[in-house]
Amino acid sequence: MNDRQFPATVKESKRLQEEAYRFRSEEIPPHHADKQLLVSSYKEILKMALALPVRIEEEYKAESIEASWATMMKAFQERDRALKDHLARLGDLEGVAEKLRRNIKECDRALESISSRVFEEAKRVHKVNPLEPNYPVEQLEKELKYEEERITSMLKDAKYLLEEGYPRAAELHKQVLDLQQRHAEIALDFKTKVLDVLEDRRAKAQRKPLTEAELIASNPSFRFLHECIEWCKEKQRKIASAGFAADVFSLAKQLDEQRGENGEIAAFQSKVD
């Protein structure tokens, strides 16, 4: 009756409860009747004992029998209450465990779906207009946040089951940790392959075009192109401003100068090519 070590499972604890019910309904009534008979017969037994004379041991006296019976019934009732409390606690743990199993399955399916859509979105993000609303990406963000909160709640439930000694708590806790790891990996893929790419494309699309002076100062290729154009303009101005000499000697000199210019232009063309 003083044993308070109960089984860890609902099934075994209910078996003990059934045994307690049988004890209450089948064993206590006949023993209670025997006890009542002994108590009611005690006066006659006492007279016989005094007449012989015979000493009645203390444990056989009516008061002792009543006290022993009361002690036994009190212990039985306390154990019965403790067993009911234990079953209620196990029922609570089983309810938490069942909710946790259900959430594990739902989270597993959700992460599978999210992972597949992140993969597709990582390909699509290079083609969409980065300045327009992107509802698929926003939905993925919401779902990842929801699953993160769900996993946090599941970890609390799994920790509670561990602390309370639920039989399969360690297994459930490991399953939640596995989901947490998967979520972290998917979230990282989503950030690096979708959000960061989209943000980079959006920043480039919103960037103010550089002025010609800024391009010349910052871009070596553009600076070279600018120098080529300026060289061409300068040659055009020089050729346009040149007149024709009035005598043969001056014309010969101009021809030599023009040949030099032609050489420079040919050299420049090869440099540009």
Side-chain angles (χ1 to χ4, degrees):
M1 291 299 172
N2 293 321
D3 183 14
R4 298 293 185 272
Q5 297 297 319
F6 301 125
T9 65
V10 173
K11 182 179 179 180
E12 290 299 312
S13 296
K14 283 187 174 181
R15 184 183 59 79
L16 283 184
Q17 191 177 46
E18 290 170 0
E19 291 177 359
Y21 175 79
R22 282 195 299 271
F23 179 78
R24 184 191 301 109
S25 60
E26 297 176 10
E27 296 189 36
I28 288 180
H31 285 85
H32 181 264
D34 292 341
K35 187 266 297 182
Q36 291 298 94
L37 180 60
L38 284 173
V39 171
S40 63
S41 303
Y42 177 71
K43 290 182 179 180
E44 294 298 324
I45 296 172
L46 182 58
K47 287 179 183 179
M48 292 170 58
L50 292 174
L52 288 176
V54 175
R55 182 176 179 272
I56 299 176
E57 297 294 332
E58 191 69 28
E59 61 182 304
Y60 298 129
K61 292 182 179 179
E63 296 83 356
S64 297
I65 294 172
E66 290 286 11
S68 296
W69 182 266
T71 299
M72 184 274 292
M73 289 302 298
K74 181 181 179 183
F76 172 74
Q77 291 167 358
E78 288 177 351
R79 187 173 187 275
D80 192 49
R81 282 195 297 270
L83 181 56
K84 288 178 180 177
D85 291 343
H86 177 69
L87 270 168
R89 173 179 164 276
L90 288 183
D92 173 64
L93 292 178
E94 194 59 50
V96 173
E98 186 57 35
K99 184 187 75 170
L100 184 55
R101 292 188 188 97
R102 185 169 59 251
N103 276 326
I104 287 172
K105 289 181 181 179
E106 292 176 359
C107 183
D108 179 66
R109 288 195 296 266
L111 290 181
E112 190 67 30
S113 171
I114 292 171
S115 177
S116 175
R117 286 151 55 205
V118 166
F119 178 77
E120 293 301 323
E121 204 60 38
K123 295 187 292 185
R124 197 179 75 90
V125 75
H126 294 280
K127 304 173 185 177
V128 299
N129 185 340
L131 300 179
E132 292 181 352
N134 196 318
Y135 298 111
V137 170
E138 292 173 4
Q139 184 61 30
L140 281 170
E141 283 186 291
K142 290 178 182 178
E143 291 182 26
L144 278 168
K145 181 64 177 176
Y146 177 82
E147 295 308 322
E148 180 183 11
E149 293 172 354
R150 193 211 298 259
I151 289 171
T152 299
S153 176
M154 287 194 293
L155 283 172
K156 290 179 182 177
D157 288 341
K159 183 180 179 182
Y160 170 70
L161 293 176
L162 283 170
E163 292 171 348
E164 294 297 319
Y166 183 75
R168 299 184 65 184
E171 177 186 344
L172 293 171
H173 185 251
K174 183 180 183 305
Q175 290 178 20
V176 178
L177 290 178
D178 290 343
L179 289 174
Q180 185 182 46
Q181 179 64 29
R182 279 180 60 197
H183 179 278
E185 292 170 358
I186 295 170
L188 180 61
D189 279 349
F190 179 62
K191 180 181 183 302
T192 57
K193 297 178 181 179
V194 178
L195 292 182
D196 289 353
V197 174
L198 190 60
E199 182 59 31
D200 183 62
R201 293 191 64 224
R202 184 180 294 117
K204 289 179 180 179
Q206 292 175 333
R207 191 175 298 151
K208 182 182 177 182
L210 296 176
T211 64
E212 182 179 342
E214 290 171 333
L215 284 171
I216 293 171
S218 62
N219 191 316
S221 296
F222 194 86
R223 183 162 55 250
F224 175 71
L225 176 62
H226 176 74
E227 291 171 353
C228 291
I229 293 172
E230 290 298 315
W231 189 89
C232 290
K233 288 180 178 178
E234 177 61 28
K235 289 300 178 184
Q236 286 177 345
R237 284 194 297 271
K238 187 174 181 181
I239 292 171
S241 62
F244 293 101
D247 57 79
V248 174
F249 177 78
S250 298
L251 282 173
K253 183 179 179 182
Q254 278 187 327
L255 182 59
D256 288 338
E257 291 176 353
Q258 185 59 45
R259 286 172 179 164
E261 291 289 344
N262 290 344
E264 286 185 26
I265 292 172
F268 178 77
Q269 182 174 359
S270 63
K271 182 180 179 182
V272 172
D273 293 342

